[in-house]
Coordinates of all heavy atoms in Angstrom, one line a residue:
M1 N -16.9 62.1 36.2 CA -15.6 62.2 36.8 C -15.0 60.8 36.8 O -15.6 59.8 37.1 CB -15.8 62.6 38.3 CG -14.5 62.7 39.0 SD -14.6 63.1 40.8 CE -15.4 64.7 40.7
E2 N -13.8 60.7 36.5 CA -13.1 59.4 36.5 C -12.7 59.0 37.9 O -12.3 59.8 38.7 CB -11.8 59.5 35.6 CG -12.1 59.6 34.1 CD -12.7 58.3 33.5 OE1 -12.2 57.3 33.9 OE2 -13.5 58.4 32.6
Q3 N -12.7 57.7 38.1 CA -12.2 57.2 39.4 C -10.7 57.1 39.3 O -10.2 56.6 38.4 CB -12.8 55.8 39.7 CG -14.3 55.8 39.8 CD -14.8 54.4 40.1 OE1 -14.1 53.5 39.9 NE2 -16.1 54.3 40.5
S4 N -10.0 57.6 40.3 CA -8.6 57.5 40.3 C -8.1 56.3 41.2 O -8.7 56.0 42.2 CB -7.9 58.8 40.9 OG -8.3 59.0 42.2
G5 N -7.2 55.6 40.6 CA -6.6 54.4 41.4 C -7.5 53.2 41.3 O -7.1 52.1 41.7
A6 N -8.7 53.3 40.9 CA -9.6 52.1 40.8 C -9.6 51.6 39.4 O -9.5 52.3 38.4 CB -11.0 52.5 41.2
Q7 N -9.8 50.3 39.3 CA -9.9 49.7 38.0 C -11.2 50.0 37.4 O -12.3 50.1 38.0 CB -9.8 48.1 38.2 CG -9.6 47.4 36.9 CD -9.3 46.0 37.1 OE1 -9.5 45.4 38.2 NE2 -8.7 45.3 36.1
R8 N -11.2 50.4 36.1 CA -12.4 50.8 35.4 C -13.3 49.6 35.2 O -12.9 48.5 34.9 CB -12.0 51.3 34.0 CG -13.1 51.9 33.3 CD -12.5 52.5 32.0 NE -13.6 53.0 31.2 CZ -14.1 54.3 31.2 NH1 -13.5 55.1 32.0 NH2 -15.1 54.6 30.5
P9 N -14.6 49.8 35.6 CA -15.5 48.7 35.4 C -15.7 48.2 34.0 O -15.5 49.0 33.1 CB -16.8 49.2 36.1 CG -16.7 50.7 35.9 CD -15.2 51.0 36.0
E10 N -16.1 47.0 33.8 CA -16.4 46.5 32.5 C -17.7 47.1 31.8 O -17.8 47.1 30.7 CB -16.4 45.0 32.4 CG -15.0 44.4 32.8 CD -15.0 42.9 32.8 OE1 -16.0 42.3 32.2 OE2 -14.1 42.3 33.4
V11 N -18.6 47.4 32.7 CA -19.9 47.9 32.3 C -20.1 49.2 33.0 O -19.9 49.3 34.2 CB -21.0 47.0 32.5 CG1 -22.3 47.6 32.1 CG2 -20.8 45.7 31.8
T12 N -20.5 50.3 32.3 CA -20.9 51.5 32.9 C -22.3 51.9 32.5 O -22.8 51.6 31.4 CB -20.0 52.7 32.5 OG1 -20.0 52.9 31.1 CG2 -18.5 52.4 32.9
I13 N -23.0 52.4 33.5 CA -24.4 52.9 33.3 C -24.4 54.4 33.6 O -24.0 54.8 34.7 CB -25.4 52.2 34.1 CG1 -25.4 50.7 33.7 CG2 -26.8 52.8 33.8 CD1 -26.2 49.8 34.7
T14 N -24.7 55.2 32.6 CA -24.7 56.7 32.8 C -26.1 57.3 32.7 O -26.6 57.2 31.6 CB -23.8 57.3 31.7 OG1 -22.5 56.7 31.8 CG2 -23.6 58.8 32.0
P15 N -26.6 57.8 33.8 CA -27.9 58.5 33.7 C -27.6 59.8 33.0 O -26.9 60.7 33.6 CB -28.3 58.7 35.1 CG -27.4 57.8 35.9 CD -26.1 57.7 35.2
C16 N -28.1 60.0 31.8 CA -28.0 61.3 31.1 C -29.0 62.3 31.7 O -30.1 62.0 32.0 CB -28.3 61.2 29.7 SG -27.1 60.1 28.8
A17 N -28.5 63.5 32.0 CA -29.4 64.6 32.5 C -30.5 64.7 31.6 O -30.4 64.9 30.3 CB -28.6 65.9 32.6
D18 N -31.8 64.6 32.1 CA -33.0 64.8 31.3 C -33.2 63.8 30.2 O -33.9 64.1 29.3 CB -33.1 66.2 30.7 CG -32.9 67.3 31.8 OD1 -33.2 67.0 33.0 OD2 -32.5 68.4 31.4
G19 N -32.5 62.7 30.3 CA -32.6 61.7 29.2 C -32.4 60.3 29.7 O -32.7 59.9 30.9
P20 N -32.0 59.4 28.8 CA -31.9 57.9 29.1 C -30.8 57.5 30.0 O -29.9 58.3 30.3 CB -31.8 57.3 27.7 CG -31.0 58.4 27.0 CD -31.5 59.7 27.5
L21 N -30.8 56.2 30.3 CA -29.6 55.6 30.9 C -28.8 55.0 29.8 O -29.3 54.2 29.0 CB -30.1 54.4 31.8 CG -31.0 54.8 33.0 CD1 -31.5 53.5 33.7 CD2 -30.3 55.7 34.0
L22 N -27.5 55.4 29.7 CA -26.7 54.9 28.6 C -25.9 53.7 29.3 O -25.2 53.9 30.3 CB -25.7 55.9 28.1 CG -26.3 57.1 27.3 CD1 -25.2 58.0 26.8 CD2 -27.1 56.5 26.1
V23 N -26.0 52.6 28.6 CA -25.3 51.3 29.1 C -24.1 51.0 28.1 O -24.4 50.9 26.9 CB -26.2 50.2 29.2 CG1 -25.5 48.9 29.8 CG2 -27.4 50.5 30.1
R24 N -22.9 51.0 28.6 CA -21.8 50.7 27.8 C -21.0 49.5 28.3 O -20.8 49.5 29.6 CB -20.8 51.9 27.7 CG -21.4 53.1 27.1 CD -20.4 54.3 27.0 NE -20.9 55.5 26.3 CZ -21.4 56.5 26.9 NH1 -21.5 56.5 28.3 NH2 -21.9 57.5 26.3
G25 N -20.7 48.6 27.5 CA -19.9 47.4 27.9 C -20.6 46.2 27.5 O -21.7 46.2 26.8
A26 N -20.0 45.0 27.8 CA -20.5 43.7 27.4 C -21.7 43.3 28.4 O -21.4 42.8 29.5 CB -19.4 42.7 27.4
V27 N -22.9 43.5 28.0 CA -24.0 43.1 28.8 C -25.0 42.4 27.9 O -25.0 42.5 26.7 CB -24.8 44.4 29.4 CG1 -23.9 45.1 30.3 CG2 -25.4 45.2 28.3
E28 N -25.9 41.6 28.6 CA -27.0 41.0 27.9 C -28.2 41.6 28.4 O -28.4 41.8 29.7 CB -27.0 39.5 28.3 CG -26.0 38.6 27.6 CD -26.2 37.2 27.9 OE1 -26.9 36.8 28.8 OE2 -25.6 36.4 27.1
L29 N -29.1 42.0 27.5 CA -30.4 42.5 27.9 C -31.4 41.4 27.6 O -31.5 40.9 26.5 CB -30.7 43.8 27.0 CG -31.9 44.6 27.3 CD1 -31.8 45.2 28.7 CD2 -32.0 45.7 26.3
R30 N -32.2 41.1 28.6 CA -33.2 40.0 28.5 C -34.5 40.5 29.1 O -34.6 41.3 30.0 CB -32.7 38.8 29.3 CG -31.4 38.2 28.7 CD -31.0 36.9 29.4 NE -29.9 36.3 28.8 CZ -29.9 35.4 27.9 NH1 -31.1 35.0 27.4 NH2 -28.8 34.9 27.4
T31 N -35.5 39.8 28.6 CA -36.9 40.0 29.1 C -36.9 39.3 30.4 O -36.1 38.5 30.8 CB -38.0 39.4 28.2 OG1 -37.8 38.0 28.2 CG2 -37.9 39.9 26.8
Q32 N -38.0 39.6 31.2 CA -38.1 38.9 32.5 C -38.3 37.4 32.3 O -38.1 36.7 33.3 CB -39.2 39.5 33.3 CG -40.6 39.3 32.7 CD -41.7 40.0 33.6 OE1 -41.4 41.0 34.3 NE2 -42.9 39.6 33.5
D33 N -38.7 37.0 31.1 CA -38.7 35.5 30.9 C -37.4 34.9 30.4 O -37.4 33.7 30.0 CB -39.8 35.3 29.8 CG -41.2 35.7 30.4 OD1 -41.4 35.5 31.6 OD2 -42.0 36.2 29.5
G34 N -36.4 35.8 30.3 CA -35.1 35.3 29.9 C -34.8 35.4 28.4 O -33.7 34.9 28.0
E35 N -35.7 35.9 27.6 CA -35.5 36.0 26.2 C -34.5 37.1 25.9 O -34.7 38.2 26.4 CB -36.8 36.3 25.5 CG -36.7 36.3 24.0 CD -38.1 36.5 23.3 OE1 -39.1 36.2 24.0 OE2 -38.1 37.0 22.2
L36 N -33.5 36.8 25.1 CA -32.5 37.8 24.8 C -33.1 38.9 23.9 O -33.8 38.6 22.9 CB -31.3 37.1 24.1 CG -30.1 37.9 23.9 CD1 -29.5 38.2 25.2 CD2 -29.1 37.1 23.1
I37 N -32.8 40.1 24.3 CA -33.2 41.3 23.5 C -32.0 41.8 22.8 O -31.0 42.2 23.4 CB -33.8 42.4 24.4 CG1 -35.0 41.9 25.1 CG2 -34.1 43.6 23.6 CD1 -35.6 42.8 26.2
D38 N -32.0 41.9 21.5 CA -30.9 42.4 20.7 C -31.0 43.9 20.6 O -31.9 44.4 19.9 CB -30.9 41.8 19.3 CG -29.7 42.3 18.4 OD1 -28.9 43.0 18.9 OD2 -29.7 41.9 17.2
P39 N -30.1 44.7 21.2 CA -30.2 46.1 21.1 C -29.8 46.7 19.8 O -30.1 47.8 19.4 CB -29.3 46.6 22.2 CG -28.3 45.5 22.4 CD -29.0 44.2 22.1
G40 N -29.0 45.9 19.0 CA -28.6 46.3 17.7 C -27.5 47.3 17.6 O -27.2 47.9 16.6
R41 N -26.9 47.5 18.8 CA -25.8 48.5 18.9 C -25.0 48.2 20.1 O -25.5 47.5 21.1 CB -26.3 49.9 18.9 CG -27.3 50.2 20.0 CD -28.0 51.5 19.8 NE -28.8 51.4 18.6 CZ -29.4 52.4 18.0 NH1 -29.2 53.6 18.4 NH2 -30.1 52.2 17.0
A42 N -23.8 48.8 20.2 CA -22.9 48.6 21.3 C -23.3 49.4 22.6 O -23.3 48.9 23.7 CB -21.5 48.9 21.0
T43 N -23.7 50.6 22.3 CA -24.1 51.5 23.5 C -25.7 51.5 23.5 O -26.3 51.7 22.4 CB -23.7 52.9 23.3 OG1 -22.2 52.9 23.4 CG2 -24.2 53.8 24.4
I44 N -26.3 51.1 24.6 CA -27.7 51.0 24.7 C -28.3 52.2 25.5 O -27.8 52.5 26.6 CB -28.1 49.7 25.5 CG1 -27.4 48.5 24.8 CG2 -29.6 49.5 25.5 CD1 -27.5 47.2 25.6
A45 N -29.3 52.8 25.0 CA -30.0 53.9 25.7 C -31.3 53.4 26.1 O -32.2 53.1 25.4 CB -30.2 55.1 24.7
L46 N -31.4 53.2 27.5 CA -32.6 52.7 28.1 C -33.5 53.9 28.6 O -33.0 54.8 29.3 CB -32.3 51.8 29.3 CG -31.5 50.5 28.9 CD1 -31.2 49.8 30.2 CD2 -32.4 49.7 28.0
C47 N -34.8 53.8 28.2 CA -35.7 54.9 28.6 C -35.9 54.9 30.1 O -36.1 53.9 30.8 CB -37.1 54.6 27.9 SG -38.3 55.8 28.4
R48 N -35.9 56.1 30.7 CA -36.2 56.2 32.1 C -37.3 57.3 32.3 O -37.7 57.6 33.4 CB -35.0 56.5 33.0 CG -34.4 57.9 32.8 CD -33.3 58.0 33.8 NE -32.5 59.2 33.6 CZ -32.0 60.0 34.5 NH1 -32.1 59.6 35.8 NH2 -31.3 61.1 34.2
C49 N -37.9 57.7 31.2 CA -39.0 58.7 31.3 C -40.3 58.1 31.2 O -41.4 58.6 31.6 CB -38.8 59.8 30.3 SG -39.4 59.4 28.6
G50 N -40.4 56.9 30.6 CA -41.6 56.2 30.4 C -42.4 56.5 29.2 O -43.5 56.0 29.0
R51 N -41.9 57.4 28.4 CA -42.7 57.9 27.2 C -42.3 57.3 25.9 O -42.9 57.5 24.8 CB -42.4 59.4 27.0 CG -42.9 60.2 28.2 CD -44.5 60.1 28.3 NE -45.0 60.9 29.4 CZ -45.5 62.1 29.2 NH1 -45.6 62.6 28.0 NH2 -46.0 62.8 30.2
S52 N -41.2 56.4 25.9 CA -40.7 55.9 24.6 C -41.7 54.9 24.0 O -42.4 54.1 24.7 CB -39.4 55.1 24.9 OG -39.0 54.4 23.7
A53 N -41.8 54.9 22.7 CA -42.7 53.9 22.0 C -41.9 52.6 21.7 O -42.6 51.7 21.2 CB -43.2 54.5 20.7
I54 N -40.7 52.6 22.1 CA -39.9 51.4 21.8 C -39.2 50.9 23.0 O -38.0 50.5 23.0 CB -38.8 51.6 20.7 CG1 -37.9 52.8 21.0 CG2 -39.5 51.8 19.3 CD1 -36.7 52.9 20.1
K55 N -39.9 51.0 24.2 CA -39.3 50.5 25.5 C -38.8 49.1 25.3 O -39.4 48.3 24.6 CB -40.4 50.5 26.6 CG -40.9 51.9 26.9 CD -41.9 51.8 28.0 CE -42.6 53.1 28.2 NZ -43.7 53.4 27.2
P56 N -37.8 48.7 25.9 CA -37.1 49.5 27.0 C -36.1 50.5 26.5 O -35.4 51.2 27.2 CB -36.3 48.4 27.7 CG -36.0 47.4 26.7 CD -37.1 47.4 25.7
F57 N -36.1 50.8 25.1 CA -35.1 51.7 24.6 C -35.7 53.1 24.5 O -36.9 53.3 24.4 CB -34.7 51.2 23.1 CG -34.2 49.8 23.1 CD1 -34.9 48.8 22.5 CD2 -32.9 49.5 23.7 CE1 -34.4 47.5 22.5 CE2 -32.4 48.2 23.7 CZ -33.2 47.2 23.1
C58 N -34.8 54.0 24.5 CA -35.1 55.4 24.4 C -35.3 55.8 22.9 O -34.6 55.3 22.1 CB -33.9 56.3 24.9 SG -34.1 58.0 24.5
D59 N -36.4 56.5 22.6 CA -36.6 56.9 21.2 C -36.6 58.5 21.1 O -37.0 59.0 20.1 CB -37.9 56.4 20.7 CG -39.1 57.0 21.4 OD1 -39.0 57.8 22.3 OD2 -40.3 56.6 21.0
G60 N -36.1 59.1 22.1 CA -36.0 60.6 22.1 C -37.2 61.3 22.6 O -37.3 62.5 22.7
S61 N -38.3 60.6 22.9 CA -39.6 61.2 23.4 C -39.4 62.0 24.6 O -40.2 62.8 24.9 CB -40.6 60.1 23.6 OG -41.0 59.5 22.4
H62 N -38.3 61.7 25.4 CA -38.1 62.5 26.7 C -38.0 64.0 26.4 O -38.4 64.8 27.2 CB -36.9 61.9 27.4 CG -35.6 62.0 26.6 ND1 -35.2 60.9 25.8 CD2 -34.7 63.0 26.5 CE1 -34.1 61.3 25.2 NE2 -33.8 62.5 25.6
K63 N -37.5 64.3 25.2 CA -37.3 65.7 24.9 C -38.7 66.4 24.7 O -38.9 67.5 25.3 CB -36.5 65.9 23.6 CG -35.1 65.4 23.8 CD -34.4 65.5 22.4 CE -33.0 64.7 22.5 NZ -32.5 64.5 21.2
V64 N -39.6 65.8 24.0 CA -40.9 66.3 23.8 C -41.7 66.4 25.1 O -42.4 67.3 25.4 CB -41.7 65.5 22.7 CG1 -43.1 66.0 22.6 CG2 -40.9 65.6 21.4
A65 N -41.5 65.3 25.9 CA -42.2 65.2 27.2 C -41.7 66.2 28.2 O -42.4 66.4 29.2 CB -42.1 63.8 27.7
G66 N -40.6 66.8 28.0 CA -40.0 67.7 29.0 C -39.5 67.0 30.2 O -39.5 67.5 31.3
F67 N -39.1 65.7 30.0 CA -38.6 65.0 31.2 C -37.4 65.6 31.8 O -36.5 66.1 31.1 CB -38.1 63.5 30.7 CG -37.5 62.7 31.7 CD1 -38.3 62.2 32.8 CD2 -36.2 62.3 31.7 CE1 -37.8 61.4 33.8 CE2 -35.7 61.5 32.6 CZ -36.5 61.0 33.7
R68 N -37.4 65.7 33.1 CA -36.3 66.3 33.9 C -35.8 65.4 34.9 O -36.6 64.9 35.7 CB -36.8 67.6 34.5 CG -37.1 68.7 33.5 CD -35.9 69.3 32.9 NE -36.2 70.3 32.0 CZ -36.1 70.1 30.7 NH1 -35.8 69.0 30.1 NH2 -36.4 71.1 29.8
A69 N -34.5 65.1 35.0 CA -33.9 64.4 36.0 C -32.4 64.6 35.9 O -31.8 64.8 34.8 CB -34.1 62.9 35.8
P70 N -31.8 64.7 37.0 CA -30.3 65.0 37.0 C -29.5 63.8 36.7 O -30.1 62.6 36.7 CB -30.0 65.4 38.5 CG -31.1 64.7 39.3 CD -32.3 64.7 38.4
S71 N -28.3 63.9 36.3 CA -27.4 62.8 36.0 C -27.1 62.1 37.3 O -27.0 60.9 37.3 CB -26.2 63.3 35.3 OG -25.4 62.2 35.1
G72 N -26.9 62.8 38.4 CA -26.6 62.2 39.7 C -27.8 62.0 40.5 O -28.9 62.3 40.1
P73 N -27.7 61.4 41.7 CA -28.8 61.1 42.5 C -29.5 62.4 43.1 O -28.8 63.3 43.4 CB -28.2 60.2 43.7 CG -26.8 60.5 43.7 CD -26.4 60.9 42.3
L74 N -30.8 62.3 43.2 CA -31.5 63.4 43.9 C -31.2 63.3 45.4 O -31.1 62.2 46.0 CB -33.0 63.3 43.7 CG -33.5 63.6 42.3 CD1 -35.0 63.2 42.2 CD2 -33.3 65.0 41.9
R75 N -31.0 64.4 46.0 CA -30.8 64.4 47.5 C -32.0 64.9 48.2 O -32.7 65.8 47.8 CB -29.7 65.4 47.8 CG -28.3 65.1 47.2 CD -27.7 63.9 47.9 NE -26.4 63.7 47.3 CZ -25.9 62.4 47.1 NH1 -26.6 61.4 47.5 NH2 -24.7 62.3 46.5
D76 N -32.4 64.2 49.3 CA -33.5 64.6 50.1 C -33.0 65.7 51.0 O -32.1 65.5 51.8 CB -33.9 63.3 50.9 CG -35.2 63.6 51.8 OD1 -35.5 64.8 52.0 OD2 -35.8 62.7 52.2
P77 N -33.6 66.9 50.9 CA -33.2 68.0 51.7 C -33.4 67.8 53.2 O -32.8 68.5 54.0 CB -34.0 69.2 51.2 CG -35.1 68.6 50.5 CD -34.7 67.3 50.0
L78 N -34.2 66.8 53.6 CA -34.5 66.6 55.0 C -33.6 65.6 55.6 O -33.6 65.4 56.8 CB -36.0 66.1 55.1 CG -37.0 67.1 54.6 CD1 -38.4 66.6 54.8 CD2 -36.9 68.4 55.4
R79 N -32.8 64.9 54.7 CA -31.8 63.9 55.2 C -30.4 64.5 55.3 O -30.0 65.2 54.3 CB -31.7 62.7 54.3 CG -32.9 61.8 54.4 CD -32.7 60.7 53.5 NE -32.6 59.4 54.3 CZ -32.4 58.2 53.8 NH1 -32.2 58.1 52.5 NH2 -32.5 57.2 54.5
P80 N -29.7 64.3 56.3 CA -28.3 64.8 56.4 C -27.5 64.1 55.4 O -27.7 62.9 55.0 CB -27.9 64.5 57.8 CG -28.8 63.3 58.3 CD -30.1 63.5 57.5
E81 N -26.5 64.8 54.9 CA -25.5 64.2 54.0 C -24.7 63.1 54.7 O -24.5 63.2 55.9 CB -24.5 65.3 53.4 CG -25.2 66.2 52.5 CD -25.6 65.6 51.2 OE1 -24.8 64.8 50.7 OE2 -26.6 65.9 50.7
P82 N -24.4 62.0 54.0 CA -23.5 61.0 54.6 C -22.3 61.6 55.2 O -21.7 62.5 54.6 CB -23.3 60.0 53.5 CG -24.2 60.3 52.4 CD -24.6 61.8 52.6
D83 N -21.8 61.1 56.3 CA -20.6 61.6 56.9 C -19.4 61.1 56.1 O -19.2 60.0 55.9 CB -20.5 61.0 58.3 CG -19.3 61.5 59.0 OD1 -18.6 62.4 58.6 OD2 -19.0 61.0 60.2
S84 N -18.7 62.1 55.5 CA -17.6 61.8 54.6 C -16.4 61.3 55.4 O -15.5 60.7 54.8 CB -17.2 63.0 53.8 OG -16.8 64.1 54.6
A85 N -16.4 61.5 56.7 CA -15.3 61.0 57.5 C -15.3 59.5 57.8 O -14.4 58.9 58.2 CB -15.2 61.8 58.9
G86 N -16.5 58.9 57.5 CA -16.6 57.5 57.7 C -17.2 57.2 59.0 O -17.3 56.3 59.7
Ligands
LIG1 S1 -35.6 58.5 28.2 FE1 -35.7 58.9 26.1 S2 -37.7 58.3 25.5 FE2 -37.6 58.0 27.7

């Protein structure tokens, strides 16, 4: 869903349903030691299933593994929804 009235962010991260995190925009990917990682492409797919052989990138293994996760946040059924009135 597009944000109305808000300025579009320079970087977006999209959790794909049952798949990777897609990172779009001007970002630097670095190791924890600060070494630059060249993703080799403009849109980066980061693994969130833990099965990729080329971490931190997605290699499609999530499909074979049957990884399941929604695009949006999981809701705890025992917690009340945030009050939308503020
Ligand atoms: S999300 Fe694709 S291999 Fe992990």
Side-chain angles (χ1 to χ4, degrees):
M1 179 185 303
E2 290 290 322
Q3 296 177 347
S4 63
Q7 192 170 17
R8 190 177 174 91
E10 293 181 18
V11 176
T12 60
I13 302 173
T14 305
C16 294
D18 306 333
L21 301 172
L22 291 184
V23 182
R24 295 182 177 97
V27 298
E28 285 185 346
L29 187 61
R30 293 186 179 269
T31 68
Q32 65 183 25
D33 297 325
E35 185 178 337
L36 193 62
I37 300 171
D38 180 5
R41 59 191 64 192
T43 298
I44 306 169
L46 295 176
C47 176
R48 68 173 173 149
C49 77
R51 299 295 183 99
S52 175
I54 57 169
K55 296 180 192 81
F57 304 109
C58 169
D59 68 357
S61 295
H62 58 269
K63 294 175 191 166
V64 176
F67 177 68
R68 295 284 178 259
S71 182
L74 289 172
R75 300 282 183 220
D76 182 344
L78 300 178
R79 284 181 120 181
E81 289 292 318
D83 184 8
S84 61

